[in-house]
Amino acid sequence: MPVFFSSRAIWLRIACRRSLASIFLFCIPAILLLLSAPPTRAASIHGFVTDATGARVSGASVILIANGRQIASALSASDGSFTMSTGKPGRFFLVVSAPNFRQVDTPDFYAGPLDDVSRTVVLEPAWARESIVVTATGTPTPQPQTSAATNVIHALDMGTHVDLTGVLRLMPGVSVVQEGQRGAQTSLFIRGGNSDANKILMDGVSIGDLGGRFDFGPLATTAVQSAEIYRGPNSNLYGADAASGVVNLTTPHGTTPFPSLMLEGDGGNFNTSREDAELAGARGKLDYLGAFSWLQTSNALPRDAYHLASSAANVGWAPSGSTQIRGRVHYGVSATGVPNAWNFYHVADDATQKDQDLYLSASISNQTSASLHQRVLYGLARKREQYYLWQQSGSGAYDAYGDSLGQVVTIHGANGTSATGQAVLDYAQTYPYNSQLASNRDQLLYSADLAITPHLTGLLGFHFEDERGLENVPSYGTHETAERTNYNYIASIHGDYKGRFFYMLGGSLEHYSLFGTQTSPRAGVSFYALKPRAGVFSGTRILFNYGDAVREPALTDQFGSLYQFLTTHGYQSTAQQLHIGPLGAPTTRTYEGGVEQSFLSGRIVFKTSYFHNQFGREIEYVGAQLLPNLIPGLTAAEKQTLIDSLKALGYYNGDYGLTVNTQAYRAQGVEASVQSGIGHNLFLRGGYTYLDAVVQRSFDSDNEALVGGYAPTYNGTPIGAYTPLVGARPFRRPPHTGYFTVTYSTSRLSAVFNTAFASRSDDSTYLEYADANGGNSLLLPNRNLDNGFARLDLDGSYRLLSWASLYVQANNLLSNQHMAPIGYPSLPMTVRSGLRFEVPVRRRR
């Protein structure tokens, strides 16, 4: 207690022993003087320092920083605890270091004059990188305490990349497919799952289309601090669509005690230019960040120009050290040419795709007690996609139906097959042709995590979603809408036993208006057979995971389903009579086991795991002439009833496809990754994945011979024109993928070298009935149709002055133009260079 405070108290005690008059004359003013004294109790900052396994670290240096100055310091005690006082309210962060560990700067926080702030600081090994992850358990947890396959892409890994297409490839178990050049549709496949089986989050809010589809093409890295990729089903925490994996993107917030302005500008080949501005800072209880970027490029193909405008903001207010209110928003507007598969036509479509994507979240987080943390989160997503085919394009040649043809080309498959001819580019119809797709989602999430004991944490939560969707195709007179109301209750526990055995057990009860009630359990364990220590073999960890998941059908799947087709066209009685119901929920079940081994006192960390995923009730388009043979148990009369219904609606004779739950496949494989740090500046990591995926059931491709004895072949080799055949691999999922990256950083220089590779994969040209004669001469065998590739990228930055840097980024150094699916040439080598200015906006005194 300060001396002046003690002297006032002694003086008051003496004064109060006098007479009543003395009390009146002396005690009352004394009390008023004491009460008028400024508050002297400072905020208390305390907590523990642990390593990544949860073991307490003693002797760690803990420094409290505010406004760039050291306020207080402490050494962690034998039990890892530390305590210090702030002296005054404000924004602070901790700098913690210890021998054999990397120095850690914690996120900043606000502490008021009477706040009691608790922080647990997890130190990383000096050589490896082990992040705090959230997607595995729902609460921040060090990676070594989870059994889940989770990796984090940090800001340094992103460098000056303008999108996530390249950096997402730098993960085990993933495959990225971009149908064209910059801005083109980009899909992510995780461990063999479909591209619409992933949950994509922005700050915990779902931002995918209804049904899980997500296009990474028009998503900028502007105001994206990191990307956490969870590989495996996790519907018990995140609901439908988290069937193959979860990608959680996070937005940074302001930290400097003054406004800090960052400006970037660069240019490169293919008429590429990019400008980026960011203003961020923190003052008292408030922190703020605003960002805007503009990118434009012509790409390397005709009619393929692309531009993207992105803006973002993050504002937080901390009324006390235990409560935080935060709002975040991202808005992107893009337009890109869609020249189509150039190698099939050598003529570009006069087409454009436009996207407008708005993501917003608002949250209140409260540390109710030392053991209870609660959060309420509201999320909003508004997505608009418009496609325009402005006019019929082509070479000037037409088929007998008036459809325009491309040039005479020879199509070469990576499997050595080829075909020569002219393909139908645009069909004879009214132009311009346009389609519009909208996905609207409002979400409310509540979660509470309770530290039941120091070794056991429980999580309870409730999620509610209101989804509205629209598909509008004026050329076909189609205007369909959908509304879905979903909610789920979640419960899970995770903890450890003696810092050696870590476990997670959870489940959810989910209700979906489209297909009813589901349950999604998940469990995982991690056991240290050899705890981390010094030596050649410095830690052995054994892992196991199990999980179930579901996903919602996409809007286009729902609108194109056999059930909705019949019921919306007045054939409800036919659907009831034949027991045709709505689309069901595609399902996933996974088993995974692996081992993580550290070498040379943690300087090298090697991890490998085996996974087995079973995907059931998958959705596929089945031709109308096949559908009557699909439904089991139909009598000849009932089949004829369905045929008559489809004929009356014009679908049977044209053999148009409708969606049903008829496909199943499994995907198993092995992932291996290794990372190592060399000194304090050099970090290396690499990985390889072997994927063995095979289709077990597919009604469409394998039953085309049922009607008219017809199925497409290439010199006797059966072909799946739109979906793979039974026994074949799912399309666009290469069996071999890998990556290697080297990161070097000093106070002035940072450089990142990345390489990603993939083997050949199965695919189709999709040119069924699409040659000049309406035949299939341009179909090629599916096996190994897409080329393998290796992509090399180099990113470097050099600080010229304390506030100015020069940066260069070169992508696809080998100019490999076969990284996209067959028919789509990839963007050749691109080089961009520019300047970055980071200017503190300080007030003059």
Side-chain angles (χ1 to χ4, degrees):
M1 184 176 292
V3 174
F4 78 89
F5 185 87
S6 299
S7 63
R8 283 181 177 172
I10 294 171
W11 177 72
L12 176 63
R13 191 164 55 247
I14 295 173
C16 290
R17 290 176 180 174
R18 299 182 180 179
S19 63
L20 185 60
S22 299
I23 292 175
F24 181 80
L25 293 173
F26 296 99
C27 292
I28 299 301
I31 292 171
L32 294 175
L33 180 62
L34 180 60
L35 294 176
S36 66
T40 57
R41 179 185 170 192
S44 172
I45 312 296
H46 59 89
F48 295 92
V49 181
T50 75
D51 65 12
T53 69
R56 305 291 174 86
V57 177
S58 62
S61 170
V62 184
I63 300 174
L64 183 67
I65 303 292
N67 295 325
R69 298 179 180 178
Q70 177 177 327
I71 302 299
S73 64
L75 291 177
S76 61
S78 58
D79 63 349
S81 63
F82 65 89
T83 302
M84 62 184 75
S85 298
T86 61
K88 59 180 180 179
R91 302 193 71 87
F92 307 91
F93 67 93
L94 300 173
V95 177
V96 185
S97 59
N100 300 320
F101 292 96
R102 183 181 292 110
Q103 178 176 292
V104 171
D105 298 348
T106 69
D108 68 316
F109 56 90
Y110 172 80
L114 302 178
D115 283 336
D116 187 35
V117 179
S118 177
R119 288 291 183 272
T120 297
V121 182
V122 180
L123 295 179
E124 297 180 341
W127 312 106
R129 290 185 180 177
E130 296 171 338
S131 301
I132 303 296
V133 297
V134 177
T135 53
T137 62
T139 60
T141 307
Q143 279 179 304
Q145 296 184 31
T146 73
S147 57
T150 309
N151 289 79
V152 179
I153 300 173
H154 297 283
L156 185 59
D157 298 313
M158 294 184 190
T160 54
H161 286 265
V162 298
D163 56 40
L164 293 171
T165 302
V167 293
L168 283 173
R169 290 189 172 104
L170 307 177
M171 292 283 134
V174 304
S175 176
V176 177
V177 176
Q178 187 168 36
E179 290 186 353
Q181 303 186 356
R182 181 162 286 154
Q185 179 175 308
T186 304
S187 303
L188 176 68
F189 300 87
I190 298 180
R191 287 185 167 181
N194 287 326
S195 61
D196 53 5
N198 308 314
K199 194 81 165 185
I200 313 300
L201 309 172
M202 180 72 76
D203 300 308
V205 172
S206 178
I207 62 173
D209 295 350
L210 270 60
R213 291 177 181 170
F214 189 83
D215 181 6
F216 284 91
L219 179 66
T221 55
T222 303
V224 175
Q225 182 180 39
S226 63
E228 188 174 318
I229 294 90
Y230 175 94
R231 303 183 305 282
N234 207 345
S235 285
N236 75 297
L237 280 180
Y238 301 102
D241 307 331
S244 286
V246 179
V247 179
N248 189 21
L249 310 172
T250 60
T251 307
H253 65 269
T255 59
T256 57
F258 46 81
S260 179
L261 178 64
M262 187 278 290
L263 298 172
E264 283 185 359
D266 60 60
N269 56 341
F270 302 113
N271 304 304
T272 302
S273 64
R274 173 177 171 265
E275 295 79 36
D276 195 347
E278 182 179 292
L279 179 67
R283 184 177 179 83
K285 300 180 179 182
L286 180 73
D287 66 77
Y288 53 89
L289 177 141
F292 176 80
S293 69
W294 170 263
L295 169 71
Q296 63 182 15
T297 181
S298 64
N299 282 319
L301 293 176
R303 296 175 175 174
D304 199 17
Y306 169 61
H307 69 255
L308 169 64
S310 300
S311 55
N314 186 350
V315 179
W317 181 61
S320 69
S322 60
T323 302
Q324 185 175 82
I325 301 172
R326 184 165 297 280
R328 307 177 180 93
V329 61
H330 284 254
Y331 182 57
V333 178
S334 67
T336 183
V338 188
N340 211 322
W342 171 263
N343 290 340
F344 293 166
Y345 312 103
H346 286 184
V347 177
D349 258 335
D350 185 12
T352 305
Q353 179 175 313
K354 300 180 179 180
D355 290 89
Q356 303 92 41
D357 299 326
L358 173 66
Y359 313 128
L360 181 147
S361 67
S363 64
I364 301 176
S365 180
N366 176 257
Q367 189 69 45
T368 310
S369 68
S371 58
L372 176 62
H373 175 262
Q374 301 182 84
R375 186 181 71 145
V376 177
L377 172 67
Y378 166 74
L380 174 149
R382 300 289 186 268
K383 307 192 70 172
R384 304 288 184 273
E385 177 185 310
Q386 301 99 31
Y387 172 80
Y388 299 91
L389 183 55
W390 299 104
Q391 59 185 349
Q392 188 174 17
S393 305
S395 63
Y398 298 87
D399 65 9
Y401 303 99
D403 304 324
S404 60
L405 303 175
Q407 302 284 357
V408 177
V409 299
T410 298
I411 301 172
H412 296 278
N415 52 18
T417 60
S418 63
T420 301
Q422 286 179 283
V424 173
L425 178 61
D426 293 331
Y427 292 100
Q429 59 183 8
T430 301
Y431 289 90
Y433 166 87
N434 71 89
S435 64
Q436 300 150 18
L437 193 67
S439 292
N440 300 324
R441 181 185 292 107
D442 291 275
Q443 308 162 71
L444 183 65
L445 300 88
Y446 167 79
S447 64
D449 54 273
L450 175 66
I452 303 169
T453 74
H455 301 281
L456 177 63
T457 299
L459 175 69
L460 294 174
F462 173 76
H463 295 179
F464 173 81
E465 290 183 330
D466 180 47
E467 300 178 326
R468 289 92 60 203
L470 162 72
E471 184 183 32
N472 183 29
V473 187
S475 299
Y476 295 159
T478 299
H479 183 92
E480 297 188 89
T481 61
E483 183 166 0
R484 306 171 181 175
T485 301
N486 311 321
Y487 58 87
N488 69 311
Y489 303 89
I490 64 174
S492 67
I493 57 172
H494 68 273
D496 71 282
Y497 179 70
K498 294 187 176 181
R500 194 174 197 127
F501 179 81
F502 301 89
Y503 56 90
M504 184 274 172
L505 178 65
S508 63
L509 179 65
E510 309 159 27
H511 178 79
Y512 301 97
S513 58
L514 193 61
F515 49 78
T517 302
Q518 302 282 331
T519 57
S520 297
R522 188 168 69 92
V525 296
S526 170
F527 172 69
Y528 272 100
L530 179 65
K531 292 200 72 173
R533 62 178 185 179
V536 176
F537 296 95
S538 47
T540 304
R541 190 161 66 102
I542 300 172
L543 318 164
F544 174 77
N545 289 295
Y546 162 82
D548 280 356
V550 296
R551 68 176 178 89
E552 287 188 298
L555 277 177
T556 51
D557 290 340
Q558 180 183 347
F559 295 148
S561 70
L562 173 60
Y563 171 80
Q564 186 145 332
F565 181 76
L566 293 173
T567 56
T568 57
H569 289 85
Y571 287 84
Q572 177 73 37
S573 59
T574 301
Q576 292 177 346
Q577 176 188 350
L578 304 181
H579 304 289
I580 298 172
L583 287 176
T587 62
T588 306
R589 174 167 294 176
T590 189
Y591 300 92
E592 177 187 5
V595 61
E596 181 181 276
Q597 178 65 56
S598 298
F599 299 95
L600 303 178
S601 302
R603 286 174 171 80
I604 301 174
V605 179
F606 173 79
K607 183 178 179 180
T608 185
S609 60
Y610 164 80
F611 60 88
H612 185 285
N613 294 334
Q614 182 65 50
F615 299 94
R617 291 201 308 227
E618 294 296 320
I619 298 169
E620 62 180 345
Y621 279 83
V622 175
Q625 294 181 12
L626 296 177
L627 287 170
N629 301 289
L630 169 64
I631 303 171
L634 293 186
T635 65
E638 290 172 330
K639 283 186 179 182
Q640 191 60 47
T641 298
L642 181 56
I643 290 173
D644 292 342
S645 301
L646 294 171
K647 282 184 175 179
L649 297 172
Y651 259 59
Y652 190 81
N653 293 335
D655 199 22
Y656 300 116
L658 295 168
T659 57
V660 285
N661 296 99
T662 53
Q663 191 184 67
Y665 66 97
R666 66 115 172 100
Q668 63 180 347
V670 176
E671 290 178 358
S673 63
V674 62
Q675 60 172 312
S676 176
I678 302 176
H680 297 288
N681 307 112
L682 191 63
F683 182 73
L684 303 91
R685 66 184 182 95
Y688 164 77
T689 302
Y690 169 70
L691 176 67
D692 175 26
V694 61
V695 175
Q696 298 164 314
R697 185 176 66 249
S698 173
F699 191 86
D700 181 32
S701 297
D702 288 275
N703 289 274
E704 291 193 70
L706 288 175
V707 179
Y710 174 79
T713 62
Y714 179 91
N715 294 335
T717 302
I719 297 172
Y722 294 107
T723 58
L725 303 170
V726 169
R729 300 188 298 230
F731 289 166
R732 300 184 177 180
R733 270 147 276 194
H736 305 278
T737 56
Y739 64 93
F740 179 71
T741 178
V742 180
T743 304
Y744 178 81
S745 62
T746 66
S747 59
R748 281 187 172 270
L749 175 67
S750 67
V752 182
F753 172 76
N754 299 322
T755 179
F757 67 86
S759 64
R760 295 179 297 175
S761 57
D762 289 12
D763 206 346
S764 174
T765 63
Y766 297 95
L767 295 175
E768 187 174 40
Y769 305 119
D771 65 16
N773 300 312
N776 294 316
S777 64
L778 297 177
L779 286 175
L780 295 176
N782 307 121
R783 188 72 170 183
N784 291 331
L785 188 61
D786 286 342
N787 283 278
F789 66 86
R791 168 174 166 149
L792 280 64
D793 297 335
L794 182 62
D795 182 19
S797 175
Y798 182 75
R799 187 176 294 276
L800 302 170
L801 301 168
S802 61
W803 50 272
S805 301
L806 171 69
Y807 64 88
V808 178
Q809 183 178 76
N811 291 333
N812 192 14
L813 295 175
L814 301 179
S815 278
N816 190 325
Q817 296 189 55
H818 297 291
M819 295 186 293
I822 186 171
Y824 296 90
S826 301
L827 192 63
M829 183 177 73
T830 61
V831 179
R832 296 172 24 248
S833 62
L835 291 171
R836 179 187 299 115
F837 302 99
E838 298 172 271
V839 184
V841 185
R842 301 177 185 265
R843 290 182 178 179
R844 292 185 178 181
R845 296 184 178 180

